[in-house]
Amino acid sequence: MQGSSVQIKGRILYVTDDLALLEKQLAGEDISYDVEKNEPSLVGNISTDELTPGWVCYYYDETLARFCLVGLRGGKVGKDAIKNGGYGVIVSGISKGCGSSRETAPYSELKSGVQLVIAKSIEKIYRQNAQNIGLLTSTDFGLIERIQRGEAIPMSEFTKGLDPISAAIVEHGGLFAYNRARLAGKTTPPAVTTGARPMTLCEKILAAHVIVDAKAGQLGAVAVKPGDAFFARTDVRFSHEYVTPMAESLFSAEMGKDAKVTDPESVFAFRDHLTFLDLVMPRAHREMGLKEQAEELATVQESFTKRQGVKLYGEVHRDGKLVGSEAICHNKVIEELALPGQLVAGTDSHTCMAGALGCFAFGVGSTDMANAWYTKDVRVTVPETARFVLTGLLPHGVCAKDVMLHILSQPFFKTGQGIGKVLEFAGDGVRAMPLDERATLTNMAVEAGGFTGIIEADDVVVDYLVKQRGLVAEDVRKRIVKADPDAKYLATFEIDLSSLEPMVATPGDPRNGIPLRDLPGTKIDIAYGGSCTGGKKADMDMYAEVLKLALEQGKKVKDGVHLYIQFGSQDIRRYAEAKGYLDVFAKAGAELVDPSCGACIKAGPGVSDSPDQVTVSAINRNFPGRSGPGKVYLASPLVVAASAIAGKIVSPDSL
Ligand code: SF4
């Protein structure tokens, strides 16, 4: 247990938009900040990619401290700058820790000596990861003056507004310390006492998974409401190679070297993120020994899965040659693992994609997963739900990606109000979408800082599971959870799909959506169609539709442009092959890549290698540096394929 107050020591680093001021601080000078005037202005939307870029995550121990913030836009933060700077506090603008769920980000800050992160708003997964490892967070800028006066800050300042479990975790200095106290009977999570009430879809699923008595295996509360906090029983737990080693080292350090994963049949591992890294790793990174470091992630994961009896979706050989991964985790979770009404936890922010099946699926950090391996539980604070009722039908040439780029560009999200909320999609417009298109909506819910995305399962889901997995329709129907008709929502937004048009998000943030017609012919170097979001069967249909049309017109991928099409899973590749798409793609001049996260995570064909390169991409996020140093515009699969032909960002109608 931490003391009742904490003395924050060290310097205060203001992450300023003014690069000269930032450099001054890094050189040893302290500056002042005017809270009222917000001067100097603070950098907002610092993503976890900027805190610990993909290549930094090849490390999974205290070495991470040496690279804290090296990906920050502007390129001013060098190796060891934060660690050697003597900082106790880091201050920045809105949406601190947006993007990927990587726990390496707050861990690198903590191990650099940072005790407290202050920001105007803090993203949900990042904040939860920070709590789990004992890094304090606050949105109270009034603390700065008190810290400068040398005041010891009461712990209650850091637990204000938190649910009782999160507050207890902060007070104990992290999740492991809290769980040790919980297992020793020194602390008990409060019982869920909410009486019967109308519930949303998510609330109903969560209520069914509340752990009432862990030892007796008793689950289920009468009802839950937003703000209720408890441990919930998972049905599916998974992690990929980027995160498994860090979780494993935490797991064995805290639970002992011989500790066993509980119920390993419901635990899965994926080797999907770094499969093609070797093809694109810059020489400088090789010289730093990062190739070997990255390979270690895979070998540590493999030996963990063998030792623990956990299924690993690994690499695939064809004609005797290693060609790629079995699948990107999220595509495989939908193809084989998750079911309606379940609770799915994965060590990746896009775990929410499985919400398209009508399950509650969300991303957790390494510490949460290490605990969940042992207890099967994850802690949850019931989020509020924002409901998006989609009506009407999408016009030709407009698809789910455009819907999400439109939704994310709305003030509700741009101002951070979506952080930590569930995005539930409903209405005839959603019902008319195939499962893959629904999965684009739920996948991108996290780009708004959302907790998860979800869609009530219906016959589209039943038919999919019957066809894909050979399940019995009636068994699937029995699992479907529906919201109560009088459930309460934080907000309801009605969107007439027939009014939408092709969208594009300009570089830097998926919330930068604008109508494509407002973007004057932007020349491109790279068009990338792949990732969990853009590498599904329906996406392949869209690439093929546009490229067939181009071939009929005697056109191919524009000279000087590279079009990459990368499948989300081997099953999707087989689908494309059976449909004759491989031939179409090849004839049009696309380069085909077997499944892996690849360019989406700057680790495969399709990455940019210079700041002036321009990419149009079907991936879900375009935070700075995400897919290389170039500029990334997000767009639909239709726009990606059309742009590859035109050599500039265009809608397919203009071909
Ligand atoms: S494809 Fe991209 S967004 Fe999807 S899991 Fe991989 S890295 Fe994450």
Side-chain angles (χ1 to χ4, degrees):
M1 189 84 165
Q2 306 262 59
S4 58
S5 64
V6 58
Q7 193 80 48
I8 308 284
K9 297 184 189 124
R11 299 171 60 209
I12 298 179
L13 175 68
Y14 298 97
V15 186
T16 55
D17 286 312
D18 182 332
L19 292 179
L21 275 184
L22 183 64
E23 272 188 302
K24 264 190 190 172
Q25 296 177 80
L26 295 171
E29 196 174 311
D30 288 327
I31 63 165
S32 56
Y33 171 72
D34 187 324
V35 179
E36 296 296 315
K37 294 184 181 155
N38 183 30
E39 281 176 6
S41 98
L42 298 171
V43 177
N45 304 324
I46 297 180
S47 70
T48 50
D49 281 81
E50 290 178 276
L51 279 156
T52 47
W55 62 268
V56 171
C57 303
Y58 308 156
Y59 297 101
Y60 53 93
D61 56 19
E62 296 194 8
T63 315
L64 287 161
R66 307 195 65 189
F67 301 100
C68 181
L69 264 173
V70 294
L72 185 70
R73 67 204 82 161
K76 298 294 180 197
V77 182
K79 185 179 170 188
D80 291 323
I82 306 300
K83 188 165 184 257
N84 293 344
Y87 302 107
V89 186
I90 292 185
V91 183
S92 61
I94 61 162
S95 285
K96 172 73 187 284
C98 57
S100 139
S101 60
R102 64 189 64 164
E103 192 167 313
T104 51
Y107 190 78
S108 73
E109 293 174 302
L110 182 76
K111 294 298 170 185
S112 299
V114 174
Q115 289 171 272
L116 170 64
V117 163
I118 297 179
K120 292 187 178 168
S121 59
I122 298 175
E123 296 272 332
K124 181 198 161 287
I125 300 179
Y126 168 84
R127 192 178 62 153
Q128 181 156 327
N129 285 337
Q131 291 168 355
N132 283 345
I133 59 173
L135 176 66
L136 298 170
T137 60
S138 177
T139 54
D140 180 359
F141 277 63
L143 290 179
I144 296 173
E145 210 187 326
R146 294 168 65 186
I147 291 166
Q148 285 169 328
R149 281 201 304 264
E151 202 179 300
I153 309 295
M155 282 305 288
S156 57
E157 292 288 2
F158 305 111
T159 55
K160 253 194 284 193
L162 295 182
D163 64 77
I165 293 181
S166 299
I169 289 169
V170 170
E171 283 161 0
H172 280 82
L175 183 59
F176 277 113
Y178 171 78
N179 266 339
R180 268 197 298 273
R182 181 164 71 107
L183 297 175
K186 292 183 185 159
T187 188
T188 311
V192 176
T193 54
T194 300
R197 63 187 284 276
M199 289 189 284
T200 66
L201 174 53
C202 281
E203 288 162 2
K204 279 181 119 171
I205 295 174
L206 284 171
H209 287 80
V210 169
I211 292 175
V212 177
D213 183 337
K215 273 199 186 132
Q218 192 189 341
L219 303 181
V222 174
V224 298
K225 63 177 184 319
D228 282 349
F230 44 84
F231 284 88
R233 179 57 45 87
T234 57
D235 296 296
V236 176
R237 294 159 283 169
F238 72 89
S239 60
H240 50 67
E241 82 272 38
Y242 236 146
V243 178
T244 314
M246 187 173 176
E248 201 245 345
S249 91
L250 293 165
F251 181 74
S252 43
E254 296 288 335
M255 307 289 182
K257 288 230 170 309
D258 299 325
K260 286 280 166 209
V261 166
T262 304
D263 190 12
E265 308 79 56
S266 60
V267 177
F268 304 91
F270 292 87
R271 185 172 182 188
D272 56 0
H273 274 56
L274 304 176
T275 331
F276 292 114
L277 178 64
D278 195 30
L279 298 179
V280 298
M281 183 175 271
R283 189 200 287 182
H285 284 184
R286 283 178 203 281
E287 287 169 2
M288 288 166 70
L290 289 177
K291 180 174 180 297
E292 294 72 23
Q293 191 63 41
E295 283 166 359
E296 194 177 314
L297 294 175
T299 51
V300 169
Q301 182 189 49
E302 197 172 338
S303 81
F304 167 76
T305 53
K306 275 194 185 137
R307 213 168 48 250
Q308 296 286 356
V310 164
K311 180 171 172 60
L312 170 67
Y313 291 92
E315 292 176 332
V316 165
H317 293 77
R318 195 178 311 119
D319 303 327
K321 269 179 36 196
L322 173 66
V323 289
S325 293
E326 171 62 37
I328 299 172
C329 51
H330 308 305
N331 299 94
K332 187 51 77 180
V333 168
I334 287 187
E335 286 170 6
E336 277 186 16
L337 305 178
L339 286 168
Q342 286 190 327
L343 196 144
V344 177
T347 59
D348 191 282
S349 57
H350 292 101
T351 300
C352 50
M353 178 161 151
L357 292 174
C359 58
F360 189 88
F362 64 104
V364 297
S366 313
T367 305
D368 272 317
M369 185 52 71
N371 275 268
W373 280 338
Y374 190 67
T375 62
K376 283 191 75 175
D377 310 340
V378 284
R379 68 171 167 129
V380 179
T381 305
V382 179
E384 292 175 300
T385 298
R387 198 161 196 249
F388 292 82
V389 181
L390 311 185
T391 59
L393 290 178
L394 287 166
H396 182 254
V398 183
C399 61
K401 185 62 167 287
D402 301 300
V403 177
M404 277 318 284
L405 293 181
H406 168 77
I407 287 177
L408 292 169
S409 71
Q410 301 305 299
F412 180 76
F413 294 113
K414 289 193 112 165
T415 54
Q417 293 174 73
I419 293 176
K421 306 296 185 290
V422 172
L423 276 59
E424 182 185 324
F425 303 94
D428 295 345
V430 176
R431 300 277 154 243
M433 287 183 187
L435 182 70
D436 276 358
E437 283 284 87
R438 297 178 185 191
T440 296
L441 303 181
T442 51
N443 177 298
M444 293 188 69
V446 75
E447 308 313 335
F451 192 124
T452 190
I454 195 164
I455 298 168
E456 193 175 285
D458 59 5
D459 279 345
V460 168
V461 173
V462 174
D463 293 348
Y464 172 82
L465 291 172
V466 168
K467 200 167 155 211
Q468 177 74 20
R469 299 193 207 165
L471 300 182
V472 176
E474 214 31 58
D475 293 346
V476 179
R477 278 201 190 92
K478 279 188 205 148
R479 293 179 167 274
I480 293 178
V481 179
K482 290 177 183 285
D484 291 323
D486 42 358
K488 296 270 178 306
Y489 297 91
L490 166 71
T492 299
F493 301 91
E494 289 215 6
I495 297 171
D496 175 7
L497 296 184
S498 67
S499 70
L500 299 188
E501 56 185 304
M503 296 284 293
V504 61
T506 56
D509 198 298
R511 288 166 285 197
N512 289 346
I514 55 169
L516 175 55
R517 68 186 147 81
D518 291 346
L519 187 77
T522 302
K523 284 197 175 166
I524 58 162
D525 304 287
I526 301 167
Y528 178 78
S531 82
C532 52
T533 330
K536 301 179 262 80
K537 290 177 185 170
D539 304 314
M540 297 302 144
D541 293 338
M542 289 190 252
Y543 302 127
E545 180 190 326
V546 175
L547 296 180
K548 265 185 205 164
L549 180 70
L551 288 172
E552 282 162 19
Q553 295 174 357
K555 296 176 185 163
K556 286 184 164 200
V557 170
K558 185 94 172 166
D559 281 348
V561 172
H562 290 276
L563 168 63
Y564 298 89
I565 294 181
Q566 184 159 25
F567 311 97
S569 73
Q570 293 293 342
D571 188 49
I572 295 164
R573 187 186 180 280
R574 283 189 287 274
Y575 168 85
E577 189 172 23
K579 286 271 195 176
Y581 294 165
L582 300 195
D583 204 31
V584 174
F585 296 160
K587 277 190 183 142
E591 295 167 45
L592 303 186
V593 193
D594 262 77
S596 172
C597 294
C600 180
I601 190 79
K602 208 161 93 173
V607 293
S608 60
D609 50 25
S610 89
D612 18 290
Q613 281 181 312
V614 175
T615 299
V616 62
S617 180
I619 63 175
N620 44 34
R621 54 177 53 152
N622 57 349
F623 296 120
R626 170 86 184 171
S627 297
K631 298 180 186 63
V632 176
Y633 290 80
L634 299 181
S636 74
L638 295 167
V639 170
V640 167
S643 305
I645 301 298
K648 57 186 179 183
I649 304 178
V650 296
S651 91
D653 291 345
S654 64
L655 286 187

